[in-house]
Amino acid sequence: MSGKNSFEPRIIGFLCRWCSYQGADLAGTSRRHYPPNMVPVRVMCSGRVDPTFVLKAIADGADGVLICGCHPGDCHYQSGNFNAMRRYPLLMKALEQFGIEKERVRLEWISASESEKFALVVKEMTETVRRLGPLEWNRRLFQEGQRKT
Amino acid sequence: MAKLKLALYWAATCGGCEVAVLDLNEKILDVAAAADIYLWPVAMDYKYKDAEAWHDKFIDVCLFNGAIRNSEGEHLAKLLRAKSKVMVAFGSCACFGGIPGLANVADREGVFARVYGETPSTDNSDGTRPQTSFTVPEGELTLPYFYDTVKTLGQTVPVDYFLPGCPPVTKQIWAVVQAIVAGQLPPPGSFVGVAEKSVCEECPRVKEEKKVTAFVRPHQVIPQPEKCLLEQGLICCGPATRGGCGAQCVNANMPCRGCYGPTERVTDQGAKMLSAIASIIDATDEAGVKKVVDQIVDPLGTFYRFGLPNSLLTRVRV
Ligand code: FES
């Protein structure tokens, strides 16, 4: 790989099984085009996405993380997505302190019928992360003398 | 039985762990009866070259406290690892990075700029910085090289046992010392002198439904002595922190700060804490959640107070 233009972001997507994953499925069956940069991980509920998952994805080299769940009030388990909603701003505040741009981690509500929104979110996010460049946390670890003084 | 050969060392640490050893009080005499101390820079006069002259595995047990922050700490960690049969990471700094590990919010340049320039009490108009070597008429003076990133002992050398705490409670130190003397140590890699479950399990406070609309900091309130501190809006790290301390802080009406590190099943103490705190926020819309979260001023410093180097992200990006 050479230069920023040829950089292909790697985004991990945690999609809830009842709405967002179905939305993604519908995007496929409706032959919507969106970039292949997001690797989907099907979870039972957005409430299952422990902040540890997000940190682990970043620590292992993801350039961005997308969390998608049912719209508030529509969670299959009633309140799972409210938990996701409560965690997100606190996680973002911590990530900002870690020096991670807030555009790299995104929370979206996507219903089973919103394949268009799904495709749009993935497209937007891929472009944003591409502009931000690689995060490369796994390579950054313990490298001495990164900043030249 | 031959006397145990003991070494105690401190790297990036405050000295509290050394005091915790001395807090054994009269039991220190029992330690002296069972063991000979071969290296203890804080209390006795030894030279590193003495340690370098030992044959490998000469020492039976090395109690190593402090995180690894410069070349001297790393050198001694490697040296003492080679010279010791059993290496114990003693205290939270050696186990998780501890308070010195919070320096991972900056790097070498960031730390130096702050300490030798920006702090209000610093008068350093020449911009003098520590040098690893400096020649004076009498000869060459040297200092260790200061690293960008603080590491745990376990990230530097293989460690046999972890005895956490800031500092470890005396009762637990004594129990571990006795186990060592009796040769009854658990399998290598284990945490010793700890409970299996979280601080909440040791905490005697009454716990009811947790719903918080506002967080407060310890200096702003005098908490009720019997009610769960989290329910009173104080950030208490009990849910994500390993017990073993006997819930000393909560018994003194102060929230747990997390010094015993994550429980067995928790990977990242900060992430777990963050999740626990978020789950008790009493709001069901984004604006309401934000209002409560805004009151938590320093999530990184609060949730990773003792374990930034040991966390998944390890350090801040600079
Ligand atoms: S099941 Fe979709 S968010 Fe809970």
Side-chain angles (χ1 to χ4, degrees):
Chain A
M1 258 195 247
S2 63
K4 245 187 179 177
N5 294 337
S6 58
F7 161 61
E8 285 299 338
R10 234 182 327 167
I11 297 167
I12 304 297
F14 295 105
L15 315 181
C16 95
R17 179 225 181 289
W18 299 99
C19 284
S20 312
Y21 198 86
Q22 305 255 330
D25 238 2
L26 184 63
T29 46
S30 340
R31 297 172 185 263
R32 283 190 197 284
H33 284 271
Y34 61 90
N37 299 60
M38 190 216 45
V39 182
V41 177
R42 193 174 66 169
V43 290
M44 288 310 279
C45 174
S46 63
R48 180 66 185 90
V49 185
D50 192 293
T52 311
F53 297 5
V54 178
L55 300 182
K56 176 87 173 122
I58 293 171
D60 285 353
D63 301 301
V65 178
L66 174 64
I67 306 161
C68 296
C70 315
H71 284 266
D74 288 349
C75 170
H76 189 76
Y77 307 98
Q78 302 198 349
S79 61
N81 53 5
F82 287 119
N83 267 336
M85 181 202 278
R86 292 185 191 111
R87 280 179 200 140
Y88 182 72
L90 192 52
L91 175 63
M92 293 316 288
K93 210 167 164 178
L95 289 181
E96 226 179 301
Q97 290 184 291
F98 273 105
I100 295 168
E101 300 91 344
K102 62 179 190 307
E103 294 83 357
R104 291 191 190 267
V105 179
R106 194 162 158 176
L107 173 67
E108 287 291 340
W109 312 126
I110 293 171
S111 80
S113 61
E114 290 176 322
S115 66
E116 195 180 345
K117 180 173 179 189
F118 172 79
L120 191 74
V121 164
V122 174
K123 190 161 166 263
E124 258 178 36
M125 192 165 167
T126 306
E127 287 325 308
T128 315
V129 175
R130 194 192 304 279
R131 255 198 320 279
L132 289 173
L135 189 55
E136 292 186 319
W137 208 274
N138 49 351
R139 280 207 250 150
R140 235 171 245 287
L141 282 187
F142 299 144
Q143 268 179 18
E144 273 302 311
Q146 264 202 46
R147 178 153 66 162
K148 296 281 165 264
T149 49
Chain B
M1 198 179 102
K3 276 179 126 187
L4 272 184
K5 296 193 188 82
L6 209 59
L8 293 95
Y9 188 74
W10 58 347
T13 174
C14 67
C17 283
E18 313 280 357
V19 176
V21 173
L22 293 176
D23 276 348
L24 289 170
N25 294 331
E26 73 286 350
K27 292 201 182 94
I28 198 96
L29 297 175
D30 297 346
V31 176
D36 283 328
I37 298 173
Y38 278 80
L39 179 83
W40 196 4
V42 78
M44 301 166 165
D45 184 21
Y46 285 106
K47 301 286 176 250
Y48 291 164
K49 65 174 185 331
D50 298 335
E52 277 154 13
W54 299 333
H55 61 77
D56 280 2
K57 308 281 175 223
F58 172 75
I59 294 291
D60 292 307
V61 179
C62 174
L63 303 178
F64 194 108
N65 74 74
I68 307 300
R69 116 82 61 236
N70 61 30
S71 54
E72 183 186 27
E74 184 179 356
H75 172 65
L76 264 290
K78 289 182 173 159
L79 179 72
L80 291 171
R81 172 67 276 189
K83 304 294 181 189
S84 310
K85 293 194 187 94
V86 173
M87 179 63 122
V88 182
F90 188 97
S92 302
C93 299
C95 291
F96 319 117
I99 298 286
L102 281 173
N104 284 0
V105 299
D107 58 0
R108 172 189 158 88
E109 173 55 27
V111 172
F112 278 12
R114 174 87 191 140
V115 173
Y116 299 105
E118 296 156 11
T119 40
S121 57
T122 301
D123 178 7
N124 182 10
S125 46
D126 300 340
T128 306
R129 294 276 186 91
Q131 307 295 315
T132 49
S133 134
F134 189 74
T135 313
V136 289
E138 293 81 4
E140 192 198 11
L141 297 174
T142 60
L143 277 179
Y145 183 80
F146 191 93
Y147 294 149
D148 277 332
T149 300
V150 177
K151 290 193 204 178
T152 70
L153 183 63
Q155 287 163 347
T156 311
V157 294
V159 168
D160 299 305
Y161 299 104
F162 299 87
L163 174 56
C166 187
V169 296
T170 313
K171 191 176 87 206
Q172 300 282 25
I173 300 174
W174 182 236
V176 171
V177 169
Q178 281 180 310
I180 293 173
V181 173
Q184 288 168 342
L185 277 166
S190 309
F191 275 78
V192 290
V194 294
E196 235 167 71
K197 293 200 171 138
S198 72
V199 173
C200 288
E201 304 282 331
E202 298 183 336
C203 167
R205 287 168 184 264
V206 181
K207 294 153 195 104
E208 284 162 346
E209 216 207 337
K210 296 189 187 6
K211 285 266 171 254
V212 171
T213 47
F215 284 104
V216 284
R217 302 177 75 186
H219 65 275
Q220 295 168 321
V221 287
I222 295 178
Q224 298 169 38
E226 264 130 46
K227 189 175 170 189
C228 166
L229 291 162
L230 273 171
E231 288 167 25
Q232 300 182 55
L234 283 147
I235 295 182
C236 178
C237 294
T241 303
R242 198 194 276 269
C245 57
Q248 289 190 112
C249 295
V250 287
N251 283 322
N253 222 10
M254 280 296 282
C256 167
R257 307 184 340 141
C259 76
Y260 266 62
T263 55
E264 198 70 58
R265 275 187 247 151
V266 170
T267 315
D268 189 289
Q269 191 183 11
K272 207 45 178 195
M273 240 351 267
L274 199 149
S275 176
I277 289 295
S279 69
I280 63 170
I281 295 176
D282 190 13
T284 47
D285 62 276
E286 272 142 34
V289 174
K290 190 176 173 300
K291 226 179 84 204
V292 183
V293 167
D294 280 346
Q295 297 160 342
I296 302 171
V297 282
D298 178 14
L300 188 153
T302 310
F303 303 145
Y304 291 100
R305 186 177 278 137
F306 292 92
L308 187 52
N310 185 50
S311 70
L312 279 167
L313 295 186
T314 318
R315 58 159 301 116
V316 162
R317 198 172 160 210
V318 286

